[in-house]
Amino acid sequence: VQLQASGGGLVQAGGSLRLSCAASERVFSLVTMGWYRQAPGKERELVAHITSGGSPTYADSVKGRSTISRDSAKNTVYLQVDNLNFADTAVYYCHLEVSTGWRTKEYWGQGTLVTVSS
């Protein structure tokens, strides 16, 4: 499975961001699909993910101003983050976790840079 991310770029503080992540094929046995990010000098962290049943999980840093959704027919996950601040500047990575029966397998997208400016 390949993951194609889109929607990054330069965004003003206080603005909104919408990221898309499309899987190259239909995803079977989905565990979670979502986004991580890595800011300069920091470790990669979860931003948000959604389960096959549609249950979302958000990092505390984006909770209340983010929405993650999934279109299973398009094999695509969307992330909207509102009220952006400088701490949201990072490379955002799409992530997919699937079950292979007795273990899980992870896939990563290539990363898309989001820069929040004043």
Side-chain angles (χ1 to χ4, degrees):
V1 180
Q2 294 184 333
L3 301 176
Q4 181 65 47
S6 60
L10 185 65
V11 189
Q12 280 196 321
S16 297
L17 169 72
R18 181 173 169 86
L19 301 175
S20 299
C21 174
S24 60
E25 58 190 73
R26 183 176 177 181
V27 177
F28 295 95
S29 301
L30 174 70
V31 178
T32 62
M33 190 170 180
W35 294 89
Y36 284 69
R37 69 185 181 187
Q38 187 166 18
K42 295 189 176 181
E43 293 187 354
R44 192 173 297 189
E45 63 177 5
L46 173 70
V47 180
H49 67 206
I50 191 166
T51 68
S52 59
S55 296
T57 297
Y58 298 98
D60 288 343
S61 58
V62 300
K63 196 175 294 183
R65 60 187 181 95
S66 296
T67 303
I68 188 167
S69 60
R70 185 168 74 96
D71 185 334
S72 57
K74 295 182 178 179
N75 306 315
T76 300
V77 166
Y78 305 94
L79 175 70
Q80 174 137 348
V81 183
D82 299 318
N83 194 21
L84 290 164
N85 57 64
F86 300 126
D88 293 316
T89 294
V91 178
Y92 284 69
Y93 296 92
C94 183
H95 176 260
L96 171 66
E97 184 178 20
V98 299
S99 173
T100 62
W102 59 280
R103 53 168 289 183
T104 61
K105 186 173 183 179
E106 295 181 278
Y107 299 88
W108 292 93
Q110 79 280 13
T112 182
L113 177 63
V114 173
T115 304
V116 181
S117 66
S118 58

